[in-house]
Structures are given as C-alpha cells and as structure tokens.
C-alpha cells in the first residue's frame, strides 16, 4: 500500500522515531506522545521508513586499512585506530571504503576489520560499513554480516569496470539493501574512480527503496550536492566527499562529511564543522586553505597518499597501522622529507586554529 502524508505529518514523523512503521492494516499509528509502534515492514514501493538523521551529521573519517607488519589485517591495530578516533571526538567512522583499501581485501579481511571496529565502537559512534564488491554475491554477504553486527548503515559504490545499465545498478544496490532489511543504505557516488555516475533518474529509482537514507557524494562538482539535496529534500542526508571542498559542500547543502584525510587531522575538520554549524563559515575558510595545503603535501611522495598518511599518523600520534597493500606504492626512504613536511603542516595548523 502507498503511504500518503502531508508536510505537517512529515514533520511529526521526523521528530518521532528512526522508522515510520506500518501495522498490518497498512496505516501509520502515532500515539499522543509522538512515538511510533510496530516494526517497519519489508521494502514496498511507497512505504516510508523514517531515520535518525542526526547520527549522520558531522565529521565521519573514512577508516584506514590496518595491517600487521606481514601485511595481514591486524585486529589489534584496527581497535587501536578506532579508539583513537573516538577519543578525538568524531561523529562516526566509514569502514571498508577507499581508505580501507576495500578493492585489495578479501571478504574475510573486510569482515574481520568491521568486527573489530564494532567491538570498540559499542554504540559510542556511528558506524557506516561499505559493503560493495565487484560482484553481487560477495556484496550481499558483507551486507548481511554488517547488519548482524549492528552497524548504523551500509554503503556501496556502483559495480565497476563494465558500464552496466542503470536498472542493473539499481538491482545490485537493492540486493544489498534487501540483505540488510533493518539497516539504512548509503549510495556512494564517486564517478571519477568508479566510472559510473549517480544520475538523477537513478537516484529517483533508488528513492523507491525506503532504506535509502543518504548519498555520499565524492564527485568534484559541488553542484551535484545541491542537485541531490533538492531531489531528496529533508528526508535524505548528503555527505560531502572531496576533503578539499569540505566547506563548499557543507554550505551548499551537505549535512556531513566523510573523507579519507579526516583521520590524520580530525581536529581541523571538527573545527570547520563547528564553525559551519554556528553559521560562521568565514572562520572555517583559513582552516580549509591549510587543510588543502596539507592534502597536497600528503600526495607528494613516491608512496601513495594512504602510505604517507599512515607514516604521519605514526609520527604525530604514535598510532602504527602498518603500510598499504600492493599494488599501492609503499613509502621509500626518500619519502621521509614528505612525511616530515606534512606532519609539520598539520602541527602548524593545529597551533594556529586549535590550541
């Protein structure tokens, strides 16, 4: 059955519960106190499942892959990084994405990482698990596993390599969502790497799935954030993806950010978020300039950006999470000057804007 409601009732529902459930009669039942009862039925076109948007609003670092010195996933180092980020005060973590080197990890690697993040998180932070693999079967397995651990949301890029039609992409995403029927779903739009863009017709099709809660937008045009926000309205969260335009994405409509460099300098993104929430974006501008200079420095080595980031984390915070997996380039001795320079720039920014 389709669910019809007015703008006034939409406001009530948004304040009530993370889910807008239906009883067997197909109608919503709301008590005088605004609480919603029963359970949300499985996906049906026209059914609306309300969410808790605030748990996604803020600074959410993309979680780095953590390895033993021999190159296997290290549960101890995963837990240490998770605890470190919680102490820094971030809103949540995004596990198993690009920063987590997902395309270089096995299904078991990704399960082990998420299990150890969740063992530390224990409800203290929001956890979004990226579960996409380049085949539906493994993606569904990871989605089911993530829900069993109690993550807040699962996320997925589109299938890469083959340029599939949009109905096939929608089927791929919905298969994952159906495997985690009690969990929010985040669409990850990163066309410059995936080779496939989230178009407005595809977004419209995916909004028929009531579990679709957000878009993580990592395309470079800031206007894409505006367009997704206009199409989705207040019922959908838009995450800014490109770290270099954190302020721009937030000002144009993104409620939050997920980024690969947040974890090495969370204080700077948290301070920008604080100013933006206070309506003082102009105070965040010099921090963004400093962050962009730092990102350029992190990308200046022989080793990949993530290889440099891990060395900077070790140097500044004493957090050792290993290196990167091949075919990513690891650091070489000549990268030490790059590592030192990036660490100095972060220290300088901390001195200027935080301490």
């Amino acid at each position: 059955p389709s669910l019809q409601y007015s703008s006034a009732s939409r406001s009530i529902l948004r304040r009530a519960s993370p889910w807008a459930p239906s009883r067997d009669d197909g109608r919503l039942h709301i008590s005088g106190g605004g609480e919603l009862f029963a359970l949300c039925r499985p996906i049906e076109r026209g059914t609306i499942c309300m969410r808790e948007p605030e748990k996604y609003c803020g600074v959410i670092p993309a979680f780095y892959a953590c390895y033993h010195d021999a190159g296997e996933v290290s549960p101890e180092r995963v837990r240490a990084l998770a605890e470190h980020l919680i102490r820094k005060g971030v809103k949540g973590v995004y596990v198993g994405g690009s920063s987590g080197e997902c395309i270089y990890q096995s299904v078991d690697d990704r399960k082990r990482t998420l299990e150890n993040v969740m063992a530390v998180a224990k409800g203290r932070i929001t956890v979004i698990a990226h579960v996409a693999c380049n085949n539906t079967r493994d993606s569904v397995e990871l989605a089911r596993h993530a829900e069993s651990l109690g993550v807040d949301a699962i996320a997925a890029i589109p299938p890469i390599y083959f340029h599939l039609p949009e109905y096939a992409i929608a089927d791929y995403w919905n298969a994952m969502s159906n495997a985690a029927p009690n969990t929010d779903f985040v669409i990850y739009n990163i066309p410059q790497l995936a080779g496939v863009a989230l178009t407005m017709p595809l977004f419209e099709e995916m909004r028929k799935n009531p579990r679709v809660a957000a878009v993580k937008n990592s395309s470079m045009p800031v206007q894409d954030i505006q367009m997704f926000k206009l199409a989705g309205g207040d019922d959908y969260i838009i995450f800014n993806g490109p770290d270099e335009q954190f302020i721009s994405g937030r000002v144009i409509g993104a409620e939050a950010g997920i980024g690969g460099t947040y974890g090495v300098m969370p204080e700077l993104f948290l301070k920008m978020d604080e100013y933006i929430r206070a309506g003082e974006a102009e105070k965040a501008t010099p921090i963004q300039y400093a962050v962009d200079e730092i990102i350029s420095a992190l990308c200046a080595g022989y080793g990949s950006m993530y290889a440099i980031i891990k060395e900077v984390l070790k140097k500044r915070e004493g957090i050792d999470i290993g290196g990167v997996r091949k075919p990513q380039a690891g650091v070489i001795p000549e990268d030490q000057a790059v590592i030192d320079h990036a660490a100095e720039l972060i220290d300088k920014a901390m001195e200027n804007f935080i301490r």
Side-chain angles (χ1 to χ4, degrees):
S2 295
L3 174 63
Q4 302 294 329
Y5 57 97
S6 66
S7 59
S9 63
R10 179 184 300 223
S11 177
I12 292 171
L13 292 174
R14 193 175 299 123
R15 293 196 302 270
S17 168
W19 300 100
S22 298
R23 290 184 182 167
D24 289 339
D25 58 9
R27 294 176 296 170
L28 288 174
H29 295 262
I30 306 176
S31 73
E35 293 181 64
L36 301 176
F37 296 92
L39 294 173
C40 188
R41 287 207 298 257
I43 177 171
E44 293 182 61
R45 182 171 178 175
T47 302
I48 302 296
C49 293
M50 304 309 292
R51 298 167 283 270
E52 293 177 281
E54 181 54 36
K55 69 180 178 181
Y56 299 119
C57 295
V59 173
I60 300 181
F63 198 83
Y64 303 129
C66 300
Y67 300 119
H68 288 304
D69 292 344
E72 297 302 316
V73 170
S74 167
E76 298 79 13
R77 289 176 174 181
V78 169
R79 292 183 182 221
L81 179 59
E83 189 62 52
H84 168 74
L85 292 172
I86 290 171
R87 287 198 304 269
K88 292 293 184 180
V90 301
K91 187 70 174 184
V93 290
Y94 184 88
V95 182
S98 306
S99 301
E101 302 177 37
C102 62
I103 62 172
Y104 302 139
Q105 291 192 344
S106 69
V107 169
D108 285 343
D109 286 338
R110 293 171 68 175
K111 285 182 177 180
R112 190 175 305 114
T113 297
L114 184 60
E115 287 165 0
N116 283 279
V117 170
M118 293 300 290
V120 172
K122 296 179 179 178
R124 293 184 288 169
I125 55 172
T126 297
V127 178
I128 303 172
H130 178 259
V131 299
C133 303
N134 215 28
N135 68 83
T136 301
R137 183 180 64 182
D138 289 347
S139 304
V140 164
E141 182 178 344
L142 286 176
R144 189 175 292 118
H145 174 259
E147 178 164 283
S148 75
L149 296 176
V151 301
D152 295 279
I154 59 173
I157 59 171
I160 60 175
Y161 190 76
F162 290 117
H163 288 192
L164 301 179
E166 291 191 346
Y167 60 80
I169 297 171
D171 285 348
Y172 168 78
W173 281 335
N174 283 325
M176 282 176 257
S177 181
N178 287 334
N182 303 300
T183 304
D184 288 347
F185 187 87
V186 179
I187 298 170
Y188 186 178
N189 185 46
I190 183 165
Q192 65 271 33
L193 295 183
V196 179
L198 176 63
T199 65
M200 298 311 292
L202 180 54
F203 186 36
E204 181 180 7
E205 177 64 26
M206 288 306 301
R207 293 202 306 276
K208 296 174 185 176
N209 180 341
R211 291 185 290 270
V212 172
V215 174
K216 179 183 184 292
N217 187 69
S218 292
S219 64
M220 294 310 295
V222 179
Q223 185 188 11
D224 288 351
I225 290 174
Q226 176 190 5
M227 298 303 292
F228 292 136
K229 192 64 194 175
L230 286 173
D234 292 340
D235 289 330
Y236 294 86
I237 296 293
I238 309 299
F239 295 101
N240 178 78
D243 300 5
E244 302 90 334
Q245 58 187 44
F246 181 81
I247 295 176
S248 304
R250 294 293 302 280
V251 168
I252 207 167
E255 292 89 351
I258 297 173
T261 65
Y262 295 7
V264 75
M265 46 181 165
E267 299 92 341
L268 299 178
F269 285 95
L270 287 165
K271 180 58 71 172
M272 285 193 284
D273 180 69
E274 178 185 323
Y275 284 137
I276 291 166
R277 286 172 177 263
E280 299 176 319
E282 70 282 357
K283 293 184 178 179
T285 301
I287 306 177
Q288 181 75 77
Y289 289 171
V291 162
D292 290 353
E293 184 180 6
I294 293 164
I295 293 173
S296 294
L298 293 170
C299 296
Y302 174 90
S304 71
M305 182 187 77
Y306 292 117
I308 301 295
I309 280 175
K310 292 179 179 187
E311 292 300 317
V312 173
L313 264 177
K314 187 192 304 184
K315 179 181 177 68
R316 294 192 67 254
E317 303 285 358
I319 302 292
D320 185 356
I321 57 174
V324 294
R325 272 201 180 158
K326 297 292 186 182
Q328 283 201 82
V331 296
I332 59 175
E334 289 79 4
D335 281 334
Q336 191 59 52
V338 174
I339 295 162
D340 292 343
H341 178 57
E344 289 168 4
L345 288 175
I346 295 174
D347 289 340
K348 179 181 177 182
M350 291 284 291
E351 191 69 34
N352 289 339
F353 303 115
I354 308 299
R355 295 170 183 154

